[in-house]
Amino acid sequence: MASSYASTAIFLTLALLIVHMEAKAIDEMSPSFYATSCPKLFPTVKSIVESAIKKEARMGASLLRLFYHDCFVNGCDASLLLDDAPNFIGEKNIPPNKNSARGYEVIDEIKSAVEKMCPGIVSCADIIAIVARDSVSILGGPSWGVQLGRRDARATNAIVTNVSIPLPKANLKELVLRFRGIALKRRDLVALLGAHTLGEAQCHSFRERIYNESNMNKELAQKRRVKCPRSKGSGDANLAPLDAQTPIVFDNSYYKNLVQNKGLLHSDQQLFSGGKTDPIVRTYSEDQEAFFNDFASAMIKMGSVNPLIGPAGEIRLNCRRINPII
């Protein structure tokens, strides 16, 4: 119990600090940050994202997820993109990301194209943020003005990666605590998890739900068991869509699924399980515009979490490694 109180206190302290940093960031960041220094940035990024999604529709969800996993660990600073190095362990091979996070090659392609146009100007952290917005809008979701001006981290944090990113087995209390840890409220939580209207999940992340949970739609559970055997280690990486209705369209079907107990992950269904988030889920299931508006607002808030601005950090020339000290 004492450990639980201590964890809560730590997350609340971090949240207060992040609120202060977020307010400062909003003052220094702007959607027009590169208007003069790299005027063709937006069309260049969008063109490559469109091409990547055309080749593989699932890639839109993967690119969006990179933004979440980056921002949840010490803020949106592109630390997620760093490969392991002799002097630190990267975040890519830590459990929440290992054999799960993907799309790094698309970011590399974008960074290479941007460096040719505007060398040393645009951060990898800002590229991730723009890519997330474009992935959503290309697949039918809302668009928003991305706050820009972030700089890139020169280090990673493997320990924070392990404890900050919400897991598929998380209950509602844990989800609220993790999101509160980066100064996001309950409504932000529900809106941001709506990103699961896109993408797929691996069998090992939903096996327990389809075999052992009573609030799982029986027909859907039976369908998912075909490619996800009960035995651990059998078919662990087999994929299933998080939203079986419209898996490559950004819409409010995710919430319609939750109301019918069709959330694939335990953490998803927790949003509609008799708790305080039920009314929000119900609203989004009936009003897609409300979801889109809140999602866009929450993405801007998450993108303002503890960014490196001003003289902090660096503008990486290669997103996978820090710049050499000259």
Side-chain angles (χ1 to χ4, degrees):
M1 182 66 74
S3 176
S4 175
Y5 284 136
S7 297
T8 301
I10 290 172
F11 275 109
L12 289 175
T13 300
L14 286 172
L16 290 172
L17 177 61
I18 288 170
V19 167
H20 172 73
M21 295 297 294
E22 181 181 318
K24 181 180 179 182
I26 290 173
D27 288 340
E28 297 192 27
M29 296 166 64
S30 166
S32 60
F33 189 84
Y34 299 109
T36 301
S37 59
C38 196
K40 294 183 180 179
L41 173 62
F42 289 144
T44 299
V45 172
K46 188 169 185 178
S47 175
I48 295 173
V49 174
E50 285 177 329
S51 178
I53 292 175
K54 187 175 182 180
K55 291 177 184 176
E56 182 193 4
R58 179 190 171 207
M59 185 55 70
S62 299
L63 294 172
L64 174 58
R65 189 163 177 255
L66 289 180
F67 184 59
Y68 282 61
H69 282 222
D70 185 44
C71 292
F72 263 86
V73 181
N74 288 350
C76 313
D77 60 6
S79 59
L80 171 62
L81 302 182
L82 289 169
D83 290 337
D84 290 351
N87 57 329
F88 61 74
I89 299 173
E91 297 168 15
K92 291 179 178 178
N93 292 313
I94 303 302
N97 297 321
K98 187 175 183 180
N99 299 321
S100 178
R102 58 196 294 274
Y104 301 116
E105 295 79 8
V106 178
I107 302 297
D108 291 339
E109 182 181 354
I110 293 169
K111 179 61 173 175
S112 178
V114 171
E115 280 299 307
K116 289 177 182 177
M117 290 191 308
C118 319
I121 297 295
V122 182
S123 69
C124 299
D126 277 345
I127 287 174
I128 298 176
I130 299 168
V131 164
R133 186 271 310 277
D134 288 350
S135 296
V136 170
S137 62
I138 289 168
L139 292 172
S143 185
W144 57 92
V146 180
Q147 295 292 319
L148 301 171
R150 302 169 188 80
R151 291 169 65 84
D152 300 322
R154 289 185 54 83
T156 61
N157 197 320
I159 295 175
V160 175
T161 302
N162 243 334
V163 301
S164 295
I165 297 173
L167 300 177
K169 64 180 180 180
N171 60 35
L172 183 57
K173 182 178 179 180
E174 291 169 332
L175 289 171
V176 170
L177 184 61
R178 295 291 174 93
F179 277 75
R180 187 184 297 169
I182 58 170
L184 294 173
K185 298 178 180 179
R186 190 178 288 115
R187 197 173 191 91
D188 300 321
L189 155 66
V190 180
L192 288 170
L193 284 189
H196 283 178
T197 188
L198 301 174
E200 298 175 316
Q202 296 181 33
C203 166
H204 68 83
S205 68
F206 59 83
R207 175 181 283 122
E208 182 72 18
R209 174 151 171 74
I210 63 174
Y211 283 102
N212 299 321
E213 296 190 11
S214 60
N215 66 341
M216 175 73 183
N217 179 277
K218 292 181 180 180
E219 183 179 347
L220 182 59
Q222 193 62 42
K223 185 176 182 180
R224 292 291 166 253
R225 290 171 186 171
V226 173
K227 292 187 177 181
C228 186
R230 183 188 290 271
S231 301
K232 185 177 180 180
S234 178
D236 282 5
N238 290 349
L239 297 171
L242 289 161
D243 169 10
Q245 309 306 313
T246 54
I248 57 173
V249 177
F250 194 97
D251 58 18
N252 67 335
S253 291
Y254 169 78
Y255 302 102
K256 295 178 181 179
N257 292 336
L258 296 185
V259 172
Q260 301 174 65
N261 285 336
K262 291 183 178 179
L264 184 61
L265 304 180
H266 175 80
S267 55
D268 286 335
Q269 196 58 54
Q270 283 289 291
L271 298 184
F272 194 81
S273 56
K276 293 182 178 180
T277 54
D278 281 19
I280 307 173
V281 171
R282 180 81 66 182
T283 295
Y284 292 163
S285 73
E286 298 171 351
D287 188 344
Q288 180 167 279
E289 185 176 357
F291 163 48
F292 278 11
N293 289 337
D294 285 355
F295 181 83
S297 175
M299 285 292 283
I300 293 171
K301 288 177 68 174
M302 184 166 68
S304 300
V305 170
N306 199 25
L308 296 173
I309 49 180
E314 66 180 13
I315 304 297
R316 271 182 235 145
L317 302 180
N318 181 327
C319 291
R320 292 177 179 264
R321 56 179 179 265
I322 61 175
N323 296 336
I325 297 176
I326 301 175

